[in-house]
Amino acid sequence: MRTIFLFGIIAVLTFSCNNNDQKSQVIDQKQLENELKTSIESRFYAWQDNDYETYVAGYHPDWKRWGMREDVLNKSDDIRGFWDYMKANEESQEMEIEMVDYNLIGDGNVAIVHYTSAETFKWTGPDNQRGWKTGDIYKGFARWSDILVKEDGKWLCIGGHRDRSQSAAGLIKLN
C-alpha cells in the first residue's frame, strides 16, 4: 500500500513539474515576443516622435542594409543622412506595427523578426514629379524582416530587409 501511495505522489510531482515547465516555456516565449516587439516599436515610435537618439540607439554599430533607391549597402554611419533626408520632406503622424513571426538562432541571442508597418505621414517637401504636393497625407505599408542581436540585455537591429513590392504594400493618398 505504501508503495502505491509513494508511486502516486511521484507521479503527481512529475506531472506537476512537467506542467510548470510547459507554463514557464509559454511565459518565456511571450516575454521574448514582447521584447522583440518592444525593440522594433521603440525605433518606429522614435521615428514618429522625431527622437533621433532613441531611434539610432536601436541599431547595432555593425548594422547594414541595402539602400532604398540605390544599389549600395548602407552602414550605421549612413543612418543620420537617411534620417535628415527623410525628415526634411515628411512629418510622421501615426505608426502601426504588427508582428508576424520570429525565429531564434543559435544560443537565442539572434532573432529574425518578420513584421508589417503602416505609417501615416504628411508630405512637407516640395511638389514633385510623382505628383506629391506639399500638405498631402499618405499611408504607407511595408513588410520587414529584421535581424536582431541581443547585447547587454537589449535587442538591436543589425540588418534586415524592407519589402514594398506586393500589392498590399506601397502608398495610399488620404486627402
PDB file of all heavy atoms in Angstrom, residues 23-45:
ATOM      1  N   LYS A  23       4.347  25.714 -18.746  1.00  0.00           N
ATOM      2  CA  LYS A  23       3.853  27.061 -18.478  1.00  0.00           C
ATOM      3  C   LYS A  23       5.001  28.059 -18.541  1.00  0.00           C
ATOM      4  O   LYS A  23       4.864  29.144 -19.081  1.00  0.00           O
ATOM      5  CB  LYS A  23       3.183  27.128 -17.110  1.00  0.00           C
ATOM      6  CG  LYS A  23       1.830  26.475 -17.052  1.00  0.00           C
ATOM      7  CD  LYS A  23       1.243  26.578 -15.666  1.00  0.00           C
ATOM      8  CE  LYS A  23      -0.060  25.811 -15.563  1.00  0.00           C
ATOM      9  NZ  LYS A  23      -0.575  25.805 -14.191  1.00  0.00           N
ATOM     10  N   SER A  24       6.141  27.693 -17.987  1.00  0.00           N
ATOM     11  CA  SER A  24       7.313  28.562 -17.994  1.00  0.00           C
ATOM     12  C   SER A  24       7.777  28.832 -19.416  1.00  0.00           C
ATOM     13  O   SER A  24       8.158  29.950 -19.755  1.00  0.00           O
ATOM     14  CB  SER A  24       8.406  27.913 -17.154  1.00  0.00           C
ATOM     15  OG  SER A  24       9.656  28.292 -17.563  1.00  0.00           O
ATOM     16  N   GLN A  25       7.743  27.804 -20.287  1.00  0.00           N
ATOM     17  CA  GLN A  25       8.149  27.999 -21.681  1.00  0.00           C
ATOM     18  C   GLN A  25       7.185  28.931 -22.404  1.00  0.00           C
ATOM     19  O   GLN A  25       7.603  29.763 -23.197  1.00  0.00           O
ATOM     20  CB  GLN A  25       8.243  26.656 -22.404  1.00  0.00           C
ATOM     21  CG  GLN A  25       9.438  25.834 -21.970  1.00  0.00           C
ATOM     22  CD  GLN A  25       9.438  24.453 -22.589  1.00  0.00           C
ATOM     23  OE1 GLN A  25       8.498  24.046 -23.253  1.00  0.00           O
ATOM     24  NE2 GLN A  25      10.518  23.726 -22.352  1.00  0.00           N
ATOM     25  N   VAL A  26       5.886  28.806 -22.121  1.00  0.00           N
ATOM     26  CA  VAL A  26       4.896  29.688 -22.740  1.00  0.00           C
ATOM     27  C   VAL A  26       5.140  31.122 -22.289  1.00  0.00           C
ATOM     28  O   VAL A  26       5.138  32.047 -23.083  1.00  0.00           O
ATOM     29  CB  VAL A  26       3.456  29.229 -22.390  1.00  0.00           C
ATOM     30  CG1 VAL A  26       2.439  30.289 -22.786  1.00  0.00           C
ATOM     31  CG2 VAL A  26       3.146  27.906 -23.074  1.00  0.00           C
ATOM     32  N   ILE A  27       5.386  31.311 -20.991  1.00  0.00           N
ATOM     33  CA  ILE A  27       5.657  32.644 -20.466  1.00  0.00           C
ATOM     34  C   ILE A  27       6.939  33.193 -21.087  1.00  0.00           C
ATOM     35  O   ILE A  27       7.004  34.336 -21.514  1.00  0.00           O
ATOM     36  CB  ILE A  27       5.747  32.622 -18.927  1.00  0.00           C
ATOM     37  CG1 ILE A  27       4.364  32.358 -18.335  1.00  0.00           C
ATOM     38  CG2 ILE A  27       6.304  33.947 -18.387  1.00  0.00           C
ATOM     39  CD1 ILE A  27       4.372  32.055 -16.862  1.00  0.00           C
ATOM     40  N   ASP A  28       7.991  32.361 -21.167  1.00  0.00           N
ATOM     41  CA  ASP A  28       9.248  32.806 -21.757  1.00  0.00           C
ATOM     42  C   ASP A  28       9.065  33.204 -23.218  1.00  0.00           C
ATOM     43  O   ASP A  28       9.628  34.202 -23.658  1.00  0.00           O
ATOM     44  CB  ASP A  28      10.320  31.715 -21.651  1.00  0.00           C
ATOM     45  CG  ASP A  28      10.788  31.505 -20.221  1.00  0.00           C
ATOM     46  OD1 ASP A  28      10.481  32.352 -19.368  1.00  0.00           O
ATOM     47  OD2 ASP A  28      11.454  30.490 -19.971  1.00  0.00           O
ATOM     48  N   GLN A  29       8.285  32.441 -23.982  1.00  0.00           N
ATOM     49  CA  GLN A  29       8.034  32.763 -25.381  1.00  0.00           C
ATOM     50  C   GLN A  29       7.278  34.081 -25.499  1.00  0.00           C
ATOM     51  O   GLN A  29       7.589  34.910 -26.350  1.00  0.00           O
ATOM     52  CB  GLN A  29       7.253  31.640 -26.073  1.00  0.00           C
ATOM     53  CG  GLN A  29       8.047  30.381 -26.281  1.00  0.00           C
ATOM     54  CD  GLN A  29       9.227  30.597 -27.207  1.00  0.00           C
ATOM     55  OE1 GLN A  29       9.139  31.295 -28.199  1.00  0.00           O
ATOM     56  NE2 GLN A  29      10.354  30.003 -26.858  1.00  0.00           N
ATOM     57  N   LYS A  30       6.292  34.283 -24.634  1.00  0.00           N
ATOM     58  CA  LYS A  30       5.523  35.532 -24.661  1.00  0.00           C
ATOM     59  C   LYS A  30       6.420  36.701 -24.270  1.00  0.00           C
ATOM     60  O   LYS A  30       6.368  37.767 -24.883  1.00  0.00           O
ATOM     61  CB  LYS A  30       4.313  35.422 -23.720  1.00  0.00           C
ATOM     62  CG  LYS A  30       3.326  36.527 -23.896  1.00  0.00           C
ATOM     63  CD  LYS A  30       2.736  36.492 -25.289  1.00  0.00           C
ATOM     64  CE  LYS A  30       1.690  37.561 -25.464  1.00  0.00           C
ATOM     65  NZ  LYS A  30       1.342  37.774 -26.851  1.00  0.00           N
ATOM     66  N   GLN A  31       7.271  36.506 -23.260  1.00  0.00           N
ATOM     67  CA  GLN A  31       8.202  37.562 -22.843  1.00  0.00           C
ATOM     68  C   GLN A  31       9.163  37.896 -23.981  1.00  0.00           C
ATOM     69  O   GLN A  31       9.417  39.058 -24.258  1.00  0.00           O
ATOM     70  CB  GLN A  31       8.984  37.123 -21.610  1.00  0.00           C
ATOM     71  CG  GLN A  31       9.994  38.153 -21.153  1.00  0.00           C
ATOM     72  CD  GLN A  31      10.775  37.701 -19.931  1.00  0.00           C
ATOM     73  OE1 GLN A  31      10.362  36.814 -19.212  1.00  0.00           O
ATOM     74  NE2 GLN A  31      11.913  38.329 -19.723  1.00  0.00           N
ATOM     75  N   LEU A  32       9.675  36.861 -24.650  1.00  0.00           N
ATOM     76  CA  LEU A  32      10.592  37.067 -25.769  1.00  0.00           C
ATOM     77  C   LEU A  32       9.902  37.845 -26.890  1.00  0.00           C
ATOM     78  O   LEU A  32      10.446  38.810 -27.423  1.00  0.00           O
ATOM     79  CB  LEU A  32      11.107  35.732 -26.292  1.00  0.00           C
ATOM     80  CG  LEU A  32      11.929  35.791 -27.565  1.00  0.00           C
ATOM     81  CD1 LEU A  32      13.206  36.600 -27.344  1.00  0.00           C
ATOM     82  CD2 LEU A  32      12.257  34.402 -28.047  1.00  0.00           C
ATOM     83  N   GLU A  33       8.694  37.438 -27.237  1.00  0.00           N
ATOM     84  CA  GLU A  33       7.942  38.130 -28.281  1.00  0.00           C
ATOM     85  C   GLU A  33       7.727  39.599 -27.912  1.00  0.00           C
ATOM     86  O   GLU A  33       7.875  40.493 -28.752  1.00  0.00           O
ATOM     87  CB  GLU A  33       6.602  37.438 -28.505  1.00  0.00           C
ATOM     88  CG  GLU A  33       5.813  37.993 -29.659  1.00  0.00           C
ATOM     89  CD  GLU A  33       4.542  37.208 -29.922  1.00  0.00           C
ATOM     90  OE1 GLU A  33       4.518  35.987 -29.717  1.00  0.00           O
ATOM     91  OE2 GLU A  33       3.568  37.865 -30.355  1.00  0.00           O
ATOM     92  N   ASN A  34       7.410  39.853 -26.646  1.00  0.00           N
ATOM     93  CA  ASN A  34       7.221  41.234 -26.186  1.00  0.00           C
ATOM     94  C   ASN A  34       8.519  42.037 -26.271  1.00  0.00           C
ATOM     95  O   ASN A  34       8.503  43.208 -26.648  1.00  0.00           O
ATOM     96  CB  ASN A  34       6.668  41.270 -24.763  1.00  0.00           C
ATOM     97  CG  ASN A  34       5.213  40.869 -24.698  1.00  0.00           C
ATOM     98  OD1 ASN A  34       4.486  40.956 -25.683  1.00  0.00           O
ATOM     99  ND2 ASN A  34       4.774  40.398 -23.542  1.00  0.00           N
ATOM    100  N   GLU A  35       9.652  41.415 -25.913  1.00  0.00           N
ATOM    101  CA  GLU A  35      10.945  42.097 -26.005  1.00  0.00           C
ATOM    102  C   GLU A  35      11.256  42.481 -27.448  1.00  0.00           C
ATOM    103  O   GLU A  35      11.702  43.600 -27.718  1.00  0.00           O
ATOM    104  CB  GLU A  35      12.069  41.209 -25.468  1.00  0.00           C
ATOM    105  CG  GLU A  35      12.092  41.048 -23.976  1.00  0.00           C
ATOM    106  CD  GLU A  35      13.208  40.102 -23.525  1.00  0.00           C
ATOM    107  OE1 GLU A  35      14.099  39.763 -24.335  1.00  0.00           O
ATOM    108  OE2 GLU A  35      13.191  39.698 -22.352  1.00  0.00           O
ATOM    109  N   LEU A  36      11.040  41.543 -28.362  1.00  0.00           N
ATOM    110  CA  LEU A  36      11.323  41.805 -29.775  1.00  0.00           C
ATOM    111  C   LEU A  36      10.419  42.912 -30.313  1.00  0.00           C
ATOM    112  O   LEU A  36      10.881  43.841 -30.979  1.00  0.00           O
ATOM    113  CB  LEU A  36      11.163  40.527 -30.591  1.00  0.00           C
ATOM    114  CG  LEU A  36      12.163  39.410 -30.280  1.00  0.00           C
ATOM    115  CD1 LEU A  36      11.738  38.114 -30.958  1.00  0.00           C
ATOM    116  CD2 LEU A  36      13.571  39.793 -30.668  1.00  0.00           C
ATOM    117  N   LYS A  37       9.143  42.814 -30.011  1.00  0.00           N
ATOM    118  CA  LYS A  37       8.196  43.827 -30.494  1.00  0.00           C
ATOM    119  C   LYS A  37       8.515  45.195 -29.894  1.00  0.00           C
ATOM    120  O   LYS A  37       8.481  46.209 -30.600  1.00  0.00           O
ATOM    121  CB  LYS A  37       6.762  43.420 -30.161  1.00  0.00           C
ATOM    122  CG  LYS A  37       5.739  44.362 -30.768  1.00  0.00           C
ATOM    123  CD  LYS A  37       4.328  43.893 -30.592  1.00  0.00           C
ATOM    124  CE  LYS A  37       3.389  44.849 -31.308  1.00  0.00           C
ATOM    125  NZ  LYS A  37       2.000  44.524 -31.111  1.00  0.00           N
ATOM    126  N   THR A  38       8.859  45.230 -28.620  1.00  0.00           N
ATOM    127  CA  THR A  38       9.216  46.492 -27.971  1.00  0.00           C
ATOM    128  C   THR A  38      10.433  47.124 -28.629  1.00  0.00           C
ATOM    129  O   THR A  38      10.482  48.343 -28.836  1.00  0.00           O
ATOM    130  CB  THR A  38       9.466  46.273 -26.469  1.00  0.00           C
ATOM    131  OG1 THR A  38       8.250  45.810 -25.868  1.00  0.00           O
ATOM    132  CG2 THR A  38       9.915  47.544 -25.774  1.00  0.00           C
ATOM    133  N   SER A  39      11.417  46.305 -28.989  1.00  0.00           N
ATOM    134  CA  SER A  39      12.616  46.818 -29.659  1.00  0.00           C
ATOM    135  C   SER A  39      12.256  47.460 -30.998  1.00  0.00           C
ATOM    136  O   SER A  39      12.721  48.560 -31.313  1.00  0.00           O
ATOM    137  CB  SER A  39      13.618  45.680 -29.871  1.00  0.00           C
ATOM    138  OG  SER A  39      14.700  46.113 -30.654  1.00  0.00           O
ATOM    139  N   ILE A  40      11.427  46.782 -31.762  1.00  0.00           N
ATOM    140  CA  ILE A  40      11.014  47.299 -33.071  1.00  0.00           C
ATOM    141  C   ILE A  40      10.164  48.559 -32.898  1.00  0.00           C
ATOM    142  O   ILE A  40      10.398  49.575 -33.550  1.00  0.00           O
ATOM    143  CB  ILE A  40      10.257  46.215 -33.857  1.00  0.00           C
ATOM    144  CG1 ILE A  40      11.240  45.103 -34.238  1.00  0.00           C
ATOM    145  CG2 ILE A  40       9.557  46.802 -35.073  1.00  0.00           C
ATOM    146  CD1 ILE A  40      10.583  43.817 -34.668  1.00  0.00           C
ATOM    147  N   GLU A  41       9.185  48.501 -32.000  1.00  0.00           N
ATOM    148  CA  GLU A  41       8.313  49.657 -31.788  1.00  0.00           C
ATOM    149  C   GLU A  41       9.112  50.868 -31.303  1.00  0.00           C
ATOM    150  O   GLU A  41       8.811  52.003 -31.694  1.00  0.00           O
ATOM    151  CB  GLU A  41       7.218  49.312 -30.781  1.00  0.00           C
ATOM    152  CG  GLU A  41       6.154  48.418 -31.346  1.00  0.00           C
ATOM    153  CD  GLU A  41       5.113  48.024 -30.320  1.00  0.00           C
ATOM    154  OE1 GLU A  41       5.391  48.080 -29.099  1.00  0.00           O
ATOM    155  OE2 GLU A  41       4.010  47.632 -30.741  1.00  0.00           O
ATOM    156  N   SER A  42      10.126  50.640 -30.499  1.00  0.00           N
ATOM    157  CA  SER A  42      10.942  51.740 -29.996  1.00  0.00           C
ATOM    158  C   SER A  42      11.541  52.546 -31.147  1.00  0.00           C
ATOM    159  O   SER A  42      11.507  53.780 -31.145  1.00  0.00           O
ATOM    160  CB  SER A  42      12.050  51.199 -29.096  1.00  0.00           C
ATOM    161  OG  SER A  42      12.912  52.236 -28.699  1.00  0.00           O
ATOM    162  N   ARG A  43      12.067  51.850 -32.153  1.00  0.00           N
ATOM    163  CA  ARG A  43      12.635  52.545 -33.313  1.00  0.00           C
ATOM    164  C   ARG A  43      11.555  53.279 -34.101  1.00  0.00           C
ATOM    165  O   ARG A  43      11.723  54.442 -34.478  1.00  0.00           O
ATOM    166  CB  ARG A  43      13.361  51.555 -34.235  1.00  0.00           C
ATOM    167  CG  ARG A  43      14.684  51.108 -33.690  1.00  0.00           C
ATOM    168  CD  ARG A  43      15.431  50.214 -34.667  1.00  0.00           C
ATOM    169  NE  ARG A  43      14.825  48.892 -34.725  1.00  0.00           N
ATOM    170  CZ  ARG A  43      14.462  48.287 -35.853  1.00  0.00           C
ATOM    171  NH1 ARG A  43      14.657  48.849 -37.016  1.00  0.00           N
ATOM    172  NH2 ARG A  43      13.932  47.082 -35.815  1.00  0.00           N
ATOM    173  N   PHE A  44      10.449  52.604 -34.353  1.00  0.00           N
ATOM    174  CA  PHE A  44       9.398  53.208 -35.171  1.00  0.00           C
ATOM    175  C   PHE A  44       8.733  54.388 -34.465  1.00  0.00           C
ATOM    176  O   PHE A  44       8.452  55.409 -35.087  1.00  0.00           O
ATOM    177  CB  PHE A  44       8.351  52.159 -35.572  1.00  0.00           C
ATOM    178  CG  PHE A  44       8.759  51.357 -36.773  1.00  0.00           C
ATOM    179  CD1 PHE A  44       9.643  50.306 -36.649  1.00  0.00           C
ATOM    180  CD2 PHE A  44       8.273  51.667 -38.028  1.00  0.00           C
ATOM    181  CE1 PHE A  44      10.033  49.560 -37.758  1.00  0.00           C
ATOM    182  CE2 PHE A  44       8.650  50.946 -39.147  1.00  0.00           C
ATOM    183  CZ  PHE A  44       9.534  49.888 -39.005  1.00  0.00           C
ATOM    184  N   TYR A  45       8.482  54.265 -33.160  1.00  0.00           N
ATOM    185  CA  TYR A  45       7.854  55.370 -32.433  1.00  0.00           C
ATOM    186  C   TYR A  45       8.830  56.525 -32.250  1.00  0.00           C
ATOM    187  O   TYR A  45       8.419  57.686 -32.211  1.00  0.00           O
ATOM    188  CB  TYR A  45       7.270  54.896 -31.111  1.00  0.00           C
ATOM    189  CG  TYR A  45       6.105  53.931 -31.305  1.00  0.00           C
ATOM    190  CD1 TYR A  45       5.873  52.912 -30.406  1.00  0.00           C
ATOM    191  CD2 TYR A  45       5.258  54.044 -32.406  1.00  0.00           C
ATOM    192  CE1 TYR A  45       4.818  52.022 -30.587  1.00  0.00           C
ATOM    193  CE2 TYR A  45       4.207  53.161 -32.594  1.00  0.00           C
ATOM    194  CZ  TYR A  45       3.986  52.155 -31.676  1.00  0.00           C
ATOM    195  OH  TYR A  45       2.943  51.293 -31.869  1.00  0.00           O
TER     196      TYR A  45
END
